[in-house]
């Protein structure tokens, strides 16, 4: 149990589908993040939310749409994805304080066909 | 800009042997430094972190890391590796003064343990 739960664990979708990834944290943290992890590449920060407000959008294509209804939940809505979007999508949260470490979920393995 | 370099993509160590994974960072001031481990199919788990003070930090699972400002390094060590340590290891640097400032990760080092 990591304290950060992601669903689904695996997702296969066609390029015309619409799907959503869900992340939930029970750690009382106020910041939540989406990272993309592709093979042989560093983790890529996608979005950051602090107290439900988006504080960073790291030049992510509009086919990825985040939503943060409260400090405990984070969604990533997906539509018209490309095969190169296939990756492990990791959600993380962090508490208040300088240099607070991230707590990660186990990720959603996304395959776009 | 902050950056992290992990020079070794893949390392193989015999079980029971010592381990050192290298990490170099680029940042203008004293950064916050972290080591994470990722097992197959899992998310990243925090091993240890350095904020300030003692330059040798202890983490979970018998790992330690030493911050060397003069070399801009934060190498991870373990005196005796176990087969269960086989995983991918990530070094990360952060400089956030407030929540929501995310970490910058290195590309990772894959550790294999031979018997």
């Amino acid at each position: 149990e990591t304290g950060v739960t992601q669903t689904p664990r695996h997702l296969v979708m066609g390029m015309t589908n619409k799907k959503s990834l869900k992340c939930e944290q029970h750690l009382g943290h106020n910041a939540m993040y989406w990272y993309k992890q592709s093979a042989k590449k560093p983790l890529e920060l996608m979005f950051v939310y602090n107290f439900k407000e988006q504080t960073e959008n790291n030049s992510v294509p509009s086919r990825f749409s985040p939503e943060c209804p409260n400090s405990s939940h984070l969604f990533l809505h997906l539509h018209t994805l490309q095969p190169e979007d296939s990756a492990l999508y990791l959600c993380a949260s962090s508490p208040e304080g300088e240099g607070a470490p991230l707590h990660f979920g186990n990720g959603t393995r996304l395959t776009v066909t | 800009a902050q950056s992290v370099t992990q020079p070794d993509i893949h390392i193989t160590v015999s079980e029971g042997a010592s381990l050192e994974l290298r990490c170099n960072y680029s940042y203008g001031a004293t950064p916050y430094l972290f080591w994470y481990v990722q097992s197959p199919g899992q998310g990243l788990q925090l091993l240890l972190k350095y904020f300030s003070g003692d330059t040798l930090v202890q983490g979970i699972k018998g790992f330690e890391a030493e911050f060397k400002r003069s070399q801009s390094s934060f190498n991870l060590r373990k005196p005796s590796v176990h087969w269960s340590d086989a995983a991918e290891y990530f070094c990360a640097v952060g400089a956030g003064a407030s929540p929501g400032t995310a970490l910058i990760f290195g590309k990772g080092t894959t550790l294999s343990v031979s018997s």
Side-chain angles (χ1 to χ4, degrees), chain B residues 17-115:
Chain B
S18 63
L19 169 70
E20 183 170 33
L21 301 182
R22 296 182 292 164
C23 173
N24 294 97
Y25 68 90
S26 173
Y27 183 63
T30 300
Y32 304 110
L33 296 161
F34 306 82
W35 274 100
Y36 285 85
V37 62
Q38 184 179 32
S39 298
Q42 303 294 314
L44 279 71
Q45 180 185 21
L46 181 67
L47 283 176
L48 47 80
K49 57 188 178 186
Y50 172 79
F51 284 2
S52 64
D54 194 348
T55 57
L56 184 63
V57 293
Q58 303 296 321
I60 63 171
K61 304 185 180 187
F63 286 93
E64 65 179 27
E66 186 171 13
F67 170 62
K68 293 185 177 180
R69 183 191 305 276
S70 61
Q71 298 176 19
S72 297
S73 69
F74 188 57
N75 294 348
L76 182 71
R77 301 194 295 247
K78 187 170 184 177
S80 177
V81 169
H82 187 262
W83 66 266
S84 61
D85 293 324
E88 191 156 19
Y89 291 80
F90 294 91
C91 182
V93 61
S98 62
T101 304
L103 304 182
I104 304 299
F105 287 85
K107 292 185 177 181
T109 298
T110 300
L111 173 65
S112 297
V113 180
S114 61
S115 56

Side-chain angles (χ1 to χ4, degrees), chain A residues 9 31 33 35 37 40-43 45 48 50 55-56 88 90 94-107, chain B residues 9 32 34 36 38 40-46 49 51 88 90 94-108:
Chain A
R9 290 297 309 274
Y33 311 75
Y35 277 89
Q37 186 177 32
K40 304 190 190 316
K41 294 175 72 174
L43 272 76
L45 176 65
V48 181
N50 192 18
T55 58
E56 190 157 347
L88 181 68
L90 291 165
S94 69
E96 303 244 13
E98 277 194 62
L102 302 180
H103 297 251
F104 284 87
N106 286 330
Chain B
I9 297 173
Y32 304 110
F34 306 82
Y36 285 85
Q38 184 179 32
Q42 303 294 314
L44 279 71
Q45 180 185 21
L46 181 67
K49 57 188 178 186
F51 284 2
E88 191 156 19
F90 294 91
S98 62
T101 304
L103 304 182
I104 304 299
F105 287 85
K107 292 185 177 181

